[in-house]
Amino acid sequence: VTQCASAERMERFERFVCQNASRNASRCNAGDVLLHQDLKALLQVQHLRKAWQILYPNKSSLPATTCMSKPFLKMLLRTFDENGNKRLSRLEQAHLYTALHTCPHLALLKALPRKKLPFPAFLGACGNLVAMETAGKPLSTYLEVKGRWQVRANLSLQLLDMLDGFRNKDPDWLLMFGNVDVKSFAVSADGQLILTDLDAMMVIDKHDMDKSTTKREGVCNEDCFGKFAYDLFEHPERTCRQAGRYGDLMAALTCRNILGCWQTDGLAQGRASLSAAKDTACAYGRGLLYGPPRRVKTDLQDLLTECAEETEHDGRTKALKQIRVLLAS
């Protein structure tokens, strides 16, 4: 059982609800306001795309609602229809509206079919608490102790497969998250990698994407991805349709933040290091693929560097294919 939203986020949401209802914040009960208001007009695509203003007012992450679409909203409405009567009561409306503005990963855990996705099972929620099955031990523990290379190589392959699945497995949805961090993953008792933090997972309707924009010209690295994220906040309707061409953002961040230790020299030139020695340049001291066999170390470091900061068109895609080969060997 974990706290769904921080106290700060809850306070922002309650203040937002009271202000929208023209209530005095000091005498306003946000829960009462929501229960006595028909939220149908607010549970609409254009309104929900602005939920980031409550979730991430500093634009630090992109929540599930960023690319809200009618099919995605329809799936959420069906999921929160607890009694199955095909219409949401005011209580059910309040639950959905609150979840999307304070705890989007709760909505995703309930809505997305777990049999297709490596997420922990949703067990229930009460107020600001959500219960999920125990996912396993944090992936970060594999960076803290000396562990077998083959185990870490297998987990890295699972991670790359997971990201590929988010892009290609489902014919209807592109799942995309831009906050890739070791602490977002856990390893089950049988060695399976699980994504435990869905707070910054976007759900994008593939049928709404512009098919002519799935391919990208030239290289795309930090500045390019940064512009894409900025445009999602400022121009979501147009930018969400172009999301297909930026699906490799997840792989770039994974190579940079998880698989290797990203080091920058005095000229700001970045490079992935796989040294077994801990380095303060990395959030966890080293990357998951630290200390590889000598025969693959140089090639693997070069490929991870190209994956994180490609130097040629489609360089990241080519590097990922070769990384898979080395990890499976």
Side-chain angles (χ1 to χ4, degrees):
V1 178
T2 59
Q3 186 178 31
C4 207
S6 67
E8 181 184 6
R9 182 183 287 178
M10 288 302 299
E11 288 174 10
R12 264 197 318 270
F13 175 65
E14 291 171 359
R15 192 164 55 247
F16 170 76
V17 169
C18 290
Q19 287 174 349
N20 276 1
S22 300
R23 301 286 184 87
N24 186 308
S26 63
R27 296 193 299 271
C28 174
N29 184 306
D32 286 343
V33 171
L34 291 173
L35 288 175
H36 290 87
Q37 181 181 3
D38 188 347
L39 299 174
K40 191 179 297 183
L42 298 179
L43 287 169
Q44 300 296 327
V45 170
Q46 292 304 320
H47 178 82
L48 294 174
R49 282 181 174 176
K50 299 176 183 178
W52 62 266
Q53 296 172 357
I54 303 298
L55 292 161
Y56 300 108
N58 60 355
K59 301 182 179 180
S60 60
S61 290
L62 293 157
T65 53
T66 303
C67 289
M68 180 62 70
S69 62
K70 289 183 179 179
F72 181 34
L73 178 56
K74 185 176 181 179
M75 179 171 66
L76 290 170
L77 292 170
R78 188 168 58 246
T79 299
F80 278 75
D81 179 14
E82 301 290 352
N83 59 13
N85 67 352
K86 298 185 179 180
R87 60 181 296 273
L88 296 194
S89 66
R90 289 195 175 184
L91 178 60
E92 291 167 340
Q93 286 180 354
H95 284 165
L96 175 56
Y97 188 77
T98 302
L100 292 178
H101 286 81
T102 64
C103 187
H105 69 271
L106 163 61
L108 295 185
L109 284 171
K110 289 185 68 172
L112 295 176
R114 181 175 174 267
K115 62 183 180 180
K116 294 183 178 181
L117 299 165
F119 302 156
F122 170 74
L123 302 178
C126 180
N128 192 31
L129 298 177
V130 59
M132 300 180 291
E133 72 171 349
T134 302
K137 61 182 179 180
L139 181 60
S140 59
T141 59
Y142 289 82
L143 304 178
E144 297 165 358
V145 296
K146 183 69 175 177
R148 290 176 52 225
W149 156 257
Q150 202 53 51
V151 171
R152 290 181 284 108
N154 177 265
L155 290 172
S156 300
L157 272 174
Q158 286 189 54
L159 178 51
L160 295 178
D161 286 341
M162 183 188 297
L163 300 183
D164 186 68
F166 289 161
R167 294 179 66 183
N168 302 309
K169 190 172 184 179
D170 195 293
D172 300 316
W173 309 110
L174 165 64
L175 304 181
M176 192 174 186
F177 63 105
N179 189 19
V180 183
D181 191 279
V182 172
K183 65 184 180 183
S184 299
F185 300 90
V187 182
S188 67
D190 60 353
Q192 298 303 302
L193 193 68
I194 296 173
L195 177 65
T196 57
D197 184 1
L198 283 70
D199 202 45
M201 170 76 79
M202 290 191 295
V203 180
I204 304 167
D205 182 6
K206 286 184 175 179
H207 302 290
D208 197 38
M209 292 195 310
D210 186 345
K211 302 299 186 293
S212 67
T213 63
T214 54
K215 293 295 182 181
R216 192 177 59 226
E217 294 182 5
V219 302
C220 188
N221 294 314
E222 191 171 2
D223 289 345
C224 168
F225 287 133
K227 185 179 185 308
F228 168 61
Y230 173 83
D231 287 343
L232 280 170
F233 286 116
E234 300 299 323
H235 313 287
E237 187 170 342
R238 180 190 71 205
T239 311
C240 290
R241 289 200 296 267
Q242 301 172 349
R245 67 167 69 172
Y246 298 101
D248 58 337
L249 164 64
M250 297 181 288
L253 292 173
T254 296
C255 291
R256 185 186 186 108
N257 299 341
I258 298 181
L259 301 186
C261 174
W262 191 254
Q263 298 177 333
T264 306
D265 61 24
L267 299 175
Q269 295 295 311
R271 179 166 180 78
S273 169
L274 296 179
S275 171
K278 291 206 170 185
D279 190 325
T280 55
C282 305
Y284 295 90
R286 52 194 172 192
L288 184 60
L289 290 174
Y290 72 85
R294 188 176 301 176
R295 60 184 171 78
V296 302
K297 182 176 181 179
T298 299
D299 287 344
L300 195 51
Q301 286 184 150
D302 290 344
L303 291 168
L304 286 173
T305 299
E306 181 66 18
C307 171
E309 292 276 349
E310 63 181 0
T311 58
E312 63 177 17
H313 175 59
D314 239 10
R316 184 170 296 112
T317 301
K318 297 172 186 174
L320 285 167
K321 289 180 181 178
Q322 295 178 64
I323 290 170
R324 288 175 181 276
V325 172
L326 291 180
L327 294 181
S329 64

